[in-house]
Amino acid sequence: MTSYVFTHATVLDGTEGMEPQPNMTVVVNEGVIEKVGPAASTVGPLGAREIDLAGAYLAPGLVNLHVHLCGSGKPTSAGAAGDLIDKVVGNPLGRWYLRRTIRAHAQQQLASGVTTVRSVGDPGFADVDVRDAINAGKHPGPRLVTSGVGVTVPGGHGAGLFAHVASTPEEARAIVRDCFSHKCDLVKLFVTGGVFDAEVEGEPGVLRMSPEVAQAACDEARKLGLRTAAHIESAEGVRVGLEAGVDTIEHGAPLDDELIALFKRNGAGRASSLTCTVSPALPFVELDPAKTHSTEVQKVNGRIVFEGIVQAAKQALAAGIPVGLGTDSSCPYITQYDMWREVVYFERIVGASRQMALHTATLGNARILGLGDETGSVEAGKAADLIVLDRNPLENLEALRDVRMVMARGVLDEHPRVKRLAELDAELDGFLPGNQKH
């Protein structure tokens, strides 16, 4: 690997109280940050390539906690997506195409500044295959933390898309063992319904998975050393997930004192966390249902889910519960390059400070993944997962939209190119919340 010396950098280190540190030097050697210090007194190894950033901002690469890599974000109905996945997974050429698509989408995440991605449900274990190919050096890409296929129930969320169906606790255990045999990094459960599969107006997030099935899946995962994440969009679902010992609650719903207490005493011996995902819910609120390929009922339910996600994130922050950020990429209008939007929403809709938002999207998310000692901050000994920005995100988090350079585990892309979907960007920019002071 090439050694690099980034000079005259303005460092944002990823810590919760970070402030710009001007005129710094960061030395990268063998894919690891070797030194961070004042430019006047910090030197790199002989023969290292020097890059003068001339005051540009050097920050940790972003960490996206909630991604499906199989889709682009172009709106489609759940039924159409399921039909397509059936055709793709069912034949060798289709599986090859799926792996190629997932790889390209992972590379889009990287080009946008996301150096670590957690996939939480993709068909046919294709995300695991792509992870292994990237780790073997066959393709450039971000660090992938993969769940493969998820665990759902008959008629449950994700069935026919990226989850296998368990009708009994033992079948749930068998799916978890299958994930373990495919070397998945975590297990994804689909405990409640969602906006697309809600049958009644006002009832999104209906409990689909029984406590017994959820408990069996979590017990088996814990026995095998796998973490768990659960799609949950109702308070009842949060209770079932937490009582089963789920590590991360994805999306969430309004919390009460009992649920807050459950978050803090997860059965795995560590506090459970909440993954805030404003991005997939907001388009249902702001856009005509025809644009999101949804119905008026789904639009109503989308608002309920949106308000529940925001309220849960606010309550969790106030209670000291770890909160992470993810985009739910592949959902309608959620592209593979818009993690910056979720960070902005966390500030402007949830109410986090800019420092807290950037910290959450970097070191905070890395800690939730159990990777806080490896990535998430500009610190000696950490993996060289870095982004270069021309503008200060602590003045306006929209600076994260334009990444000048990105480095993942020491591999530098000096001219990252994001293949943008102009029509989707225009719609999303149309309801981007205005700048606010926090």
Side-chain angles (χ1 to χ4, degrees):
M1 283 187 178
T2 303
S3 296
Y4 295 91
V5 179
F6 295 97
T7 62
H8 304 109
T10 304
V11 170
L12 297 168
D13 63 14
T15 58
E16 187 171 346
M18 77 185 88
E19 294 291 344
Q21 302 173 52
N23 207 24
M24 298 287 283
T25 289
V26 176
V27 178
V28 172
N29 195 18
E30 296 295 324
V32 175
I33 300 171
E34 191 173 81
K35 299 178 185 177
V36 180
S41 58
T42 306
V43 296
L46 193 65
R49 183 182 168 199
E50 183 174 320
I51 299 177
D52 188 345
L53 293 184
Y57 295 85
L58 187 68
L62 303 181
V63 179
N64 193 338
L65 280 192
H66 192 113
V67 167
H68 303 281
L69 290 165
C70 53
S72 66
K74 292 180 181 178
T76 185
S77 67
D83 291 343
L84 178 61
I85 287 171
D86 282 342
K87 293 176 183 177
V88 167
V89 175
N91 66 85
L93 181 60
R95 290 193 293 273
W96 169 84
Y97 179 79
L98 178 61
R99 288 193 296 270
R100 190 182 75 164
T101 298
I102 285 177
R103 184 179 75 233
H105 289 164
Q107 290 169 339
Q108 282 285 284
Q109 292 275 345
L110 179 60
S112 71
V114 177
T115 53
T116 299
V117 173
R118 182 176 67 161
S119 70
V120 285
D122 277 300
F125 298 102
D127 58 340
V128 179
D129 295 337
V130 172
R131 177 203 65 191
D132 292 346
I134 290 172
N135 289 346
K138 295 179 181 178
H139 310 287
R143 178 187 293 97
L144 287 183
V145 179
T146 57
S147 67
V149 302
V151 182
T152 191
V153 293
H157 197 69
L161 290 169
F162 29 64
H164 288 178
V165 173
S167 299
T168 65
E170 187 48 49
E171 288 179 1
R173 291 179 182 275
I175 295 171
V176 172
R177 289 194 293 270
D178 193 26
C179 290
F180 179 76
S181 70
H182 280 86
K183 296 181 170 58
C184 296
D185 299 302
L186 72 146
V187 174
K188 174 70 180 292
L189 286 69
F190 293 87
V191 173
T192 75
V195 173
F196 271 117
D197 54 16
E199 298 171 357
V200 179
E201 184 176 302
E203 292 186 6
V206 171
L207 184 65
R208 305 286 190 195
M209 182 176 287
S210 71
E212 293 77 18
V213 169
Q215 187 72 62
C218 289
D219 286 349
E220 193 70 17
R222 193 175 299 116
K223 183 173 71 175
L224 296 171
L226 297 174
R227 295 190 179 214
T228 49
H231 166 100
I232 292 175
E233 294 183 346
S234 67
E236 184 182 13
V238 172
R239 178 185 56 77
V240 168
L242 292 175
E243 288 181 346
V246 165
D247 289 300
T248 68
I249 301 294
E250 308 297 302
H251 315 303
L255 308 176
D256 58 23
D257 291 343
E258 180 185 359
L259 294 179
I260 289 171
L262 283 173
F263 262 105
K264 295 182 177 182
R265 58 177 177 84
N266 177 276
R270 55 180 174 263
S272 295
S273 66
L274 175 72
T275 305
C276 177
T277 57
V278 175
S279 293
L282 196 55
F284 285 105
V285 175
E286 298 289 346
L287 297 177
D288 186 278
K291 293 184 175 180
T292 56
H293 288 228
S294 58
T295 65
E296 289 292 345
V297 169
Q298 289 165 343
K299 182 177 178 68
V300 171
N301 288 334
R303 177 172 287 279
I304 293 171
V305 168
F306 165 76
E307 292 173 350
I309 288 170
V310 172
Q311 183 176 339
K314 289 180 176 180
Q315 291 174 308
L317 286 173
I321 294 167
V323 178
L325 296 179
T327 58
D328 214 353
S329 300
S330 288
C331 287
Y333 282 86
I334 313 305
T335 70
Q336 299 290 347
Y337 55 82
D338 269 355
M339 180 61 181
W340 71 269
R341 290 188 193 274
E342 188 66 35
V343 183
V344 169
Y345 296 155
F346 196 52
E347 178 213 355
R348 299 180 188 173
I349 296 177
V350 176
S353 69
R354 294 189 189 108
Q355 282 92 343
M356 185 62 180
L358 187 56
H359 163 72
T360 300
T362 53
L363 184 56
N365 276 357
R367 286 172 173 165
I368 286 172
L369 290 179
L371 297 174
D373 292 334
E374 181 178 347
T375 190
S377 60
V378 183
E379 180 183 352
K382 294 283 188 78
D385 297 331
L386 304 166
I387 56 175
V388 176
L389 307 166
D390 288 319
R391 295 180 292 147
N392 183 2
L394 298 186
E395 293 181 355
N396 188 335
L397 287 167
E398 292 180 46
L400 296 169
R401 182 175 194 158
D402 299 305
V403 175
R404 189 209 294 182
M405 299 181 193
V406 60
M407 174 177 278
R409 291 180 280 190
V411 177
L412 179 65
D413 185 348
E414 291 186 72
H415 305 286
R417 296 181 180 179
V418 173
K419 187 178 180 181
R420 300 185 185 276
L421 302 174
E423 184 178 345
L424 271 62
D425 286 350
E427 293 280 8
L428 293 167
D429 289 346
F431 55 79
L432 186 68
N435 290 324
Q436 297 177 13
K437 301 290 185 181
H438 291 296

